[in-house]
Amino acid sequence: MNDEYWMKHALELAHKAEAAGEVPVGAVIVLNGELIAEGWNQPISSSDPTAHAEIIALRGAGQKLGNYRLLDAELYVTLEPCPMCVGAMLHARVKRVIYAATDPKTGALGGAYDLLNSFSHNHSFEVTKGILEEQSREKLQGFFRSRR
């Protein structure tokens, strides 16, 4: 299975977020080619400002593996992660982050900030961007257009 396959799954999860009135972002975590956790945005429905898709997926993966270190894990997300989520990914020691659409307002992997290259961290991860970017961007733009 390739990057597009897993990003399509993340986009399906973004639909769940949108159906619940949340910003349509979905995330999946894959380890050795196997899905180990998934999440979609839920801060409004859970009254939890940390309930971003990535954080929910990271929590699920940690619980499944019995370890907060997610060595060799790949995280797919439909929107460039924010600073909070990038920090969590660094602490989890993920191997690679793959995102669809760049976020010029709050993205922390080069969109608005570049946290990987801004500070000296004892860990870093590979970043791949632009996988199914157009589909993700359209989903987000449609959501915000309908709210105006």
Side-chain angles (χ1 to χ4, degrees), residues 89-101:
M89 293 168 193
L90 285 166
H91 285 292
R93 308 289 197 269
V94 298
K95 175 183 175 182
R96 182 171 165 237
V97 174
I98 305 91
Y99 69 87

Side-chain angles (χ1 to χ4, degrees), residues 2 32 52 104 108 128 139:
N2 62 18
N32 301 322
H52 289 193
T128 303
K139 164 74 57 200

Side-chain angles (χ1 to χ4, degrees), residues 54-100:
E54 303 95 307
I55 299 296
I56 291 169
L58 287 165
R59 287 177 183 154
Q63 290 171 353
K64 179 168 184 162
L65 298 176
N67 191 340
Y68 75 101
R69 298 281 196 224
L70 304 177
L71 304 174
D72 297 321
E74 297 177 305
L75 190 151
Y76 292 80
V77 61
T78 58
L79 181 64
E80 180 182 3
C82 74
M84 172 185 69
C85 292
V86 169
M89 293 168 193
L90 285 166
H91 285 292
R93 308 289 197 269
V94 298
K95 175 183 175 182
R96 182 171 165 237
V97 174
I98 305 91
Y99 69 87

